[in-house]
Amino acid sequence: PQVKVHHQGREVIALGISMAKGGDIIEMGQALAKAVDGIRAELPAGIEMRQFENQASIVSTSVNEFLRVLVEAVVVVLGVSFISLGLHFKPRLHLDWRPGLVVGITIPLVLAITFVTMYFWGVGLHKISLGSLIIALGLLVDDAIIAVEMMVRKLEEGYDKVRAATFAYDATAMPMLTGTLITAVGFLPIGIARSTVGEYTFAIFAVTAAALLISWFVSVYFVPYLGLHILKVKPHDPGQQPHELFDTPFYTRFRALVNWC
């Protein structure tokens, strides 16, 4: 006996079993339980084996909890997107579900591609990587919301669907990419930290940066295509040229105030 400790008031020999790098702690816990059952059957009389720490069950509970929180976050983001993008007060109060649906479709698409990227990067599902997904969730819908809002606005101004979709790409693609890269670079110090903590926190940079870049790609190329098929064109006079949506008296005064500032 090299490691002797006290457990339940009795002096015992402690045996620690740790997971090899790249392993699955939950699978190891299941295999360990089977092995312990076999060993117990062969122990001499008077010797008992008890497990007083089970990391596999702790990790399983934590992962399930984070998955539940992730689902809740997705639902909240979808709810806010549907209301903020689709609620209209003119000519009557109504909720257009189509813009929110476009954003809603992009969320599982971006998450699915992010999971594949994590797999190839060797980033597993654990508390830090799942927490990073929750952090990225509020950010990855930004680009899609910008593209959809721009497309809806141009449709309201009288543009046809194809012209509105291409305008959303031309006007917002590069500014969105710049903002996405700046946000991703903000997590770079965590990603390049050469330390014991950095081994675990690298997932924050990897997952967040991957989710943001994937969301930009989806928003620039996939969202206009979705909008082309899902968004509804409001009826306009064919002979009327597209006009600026913000040419109301309020926006005219507001624009003058901004120019004066």
Side-chain angles (χ1 to χ4, degrees):
Q2 293 182 348
V3 183
K4 298 182 72 176
V5 299
H6 280 82
H7 176 64
Q8 300 295 335
R10 300 172 64 183
E11 192 175 23
V12 299
I13 298 173
L15 177 64
I17 301 176
S18 57
M19 183 184 68
K21 185 177 181 180
D24 188 326
I25 188 67
I26 298 178
E27 289 184 3
M28 192 202 80
Q30 295 170 349
L32 182 60
K34 293 179 181 178
V36 168
D37 291 339
I39 294 172
R40 279 201 181 106
E42 300 177 0
L43 287 176
I47 298 180
E48 299 178 4
M49 179 179 289
R50 295 183 181 178
Q51 186 174 8
F52 59 88
E53 183 67 34
N54 187 355
Q55 189 179 3
S57 63
I58 297 173
V59 170
S60 178
T61 302
S62 299
V63 170
N64 290 334
E65 180 183 353
F66 266 86
L67 286 175
R68 178 180 59 82
V69 172
L70 181 62
V71 172
E72 291 175 355
V74 170
V75 172
V76 170
V77 170
L78 283 177
V80 173
S81 299
F82 271 94
I83 294 174
S84 61
L85 289 173
L87 189 62
H88 297 278
F89 297 94
K90 294 180 180 180
R92 56 182 175 79
L93 181 64
H94 67 284
L95 183 66
D96 185 4
W97 51 269
R98 293 176 180 84
L101 179 62
V102 176
V103 176
I105 293 174
T106 63
I107 293 177
L109 177 63
V110 172
L111 289 179
I113 301 175
T114 303
F115 282 133
V116 174
T117 305
M118 291 169 58
Y119 173 78
F120 284 106
W121 280 0
V123 178
L125 282 178
H126 44 74
K127 295 181 77 171
I128 294 179
S129 61
L130 289 173
S132 303
L133 283 174
I134 296 174
I135 293 173
L137 187 62
L139 300 171
L140 63 85
V141 295
D142 282 355
D143 291 345
I145 289 175
I146 292 171
V148 171
E149 194 276 335
M150 181 67 69
M151 196 169 176
V152 169
R153 191 185 117 194
K154 289 303 171 183
L155 289 175
E156 291 177 347
E157 291 178 358
Y159 284 54
D160 60 78
K161 281 189 174 183
V162 175
R163 190 177 175 191
T166 54
F167 182 87
Y169 170 83
D170 293 337
T172 63
M174 291 311 296
M176 287 193 304
L177 178 60
T178 304
T180 299
L181 292 176
I182 290 173
T183 306
V185 168
F187 294 92
L188 185 60
I190 301 175
I192 61 177
R194 294 291 178 260
S195 63
T196 305
V197 177
E199 180 182 351
Y200 296 95
T201 57
F202 171 77
I204 298 177
F205 166 73
V207 174
T208 306
L212 292 177
L213 290 174
I214 293 168
S215 71
W216 175 83
F217 184 85
V218 169
S219 300
V220 167
Y221 293 101
F222 191 66
V223 166
Y225 175 78
L226 274 179
L228 199 65
H229 293 277
I230 295 178
L231 295 180
K232 185 178 180 181
V233 179
K234 296 186 177 182
H236 290 277
D237 184 2
Q240 184 181 6
Q241 292 295 323
H243 66 282
E244 175 66 40
L245 188 64
F246 303 112
D247 57 359
T248 61
F250 169 79
Y251 282 108
T252 301
R253 290 190 293 268
F254 181 73
R255 185 180 290 108
L257 174 63
V258 173
N259 290 333
W260 177 81
C261 292

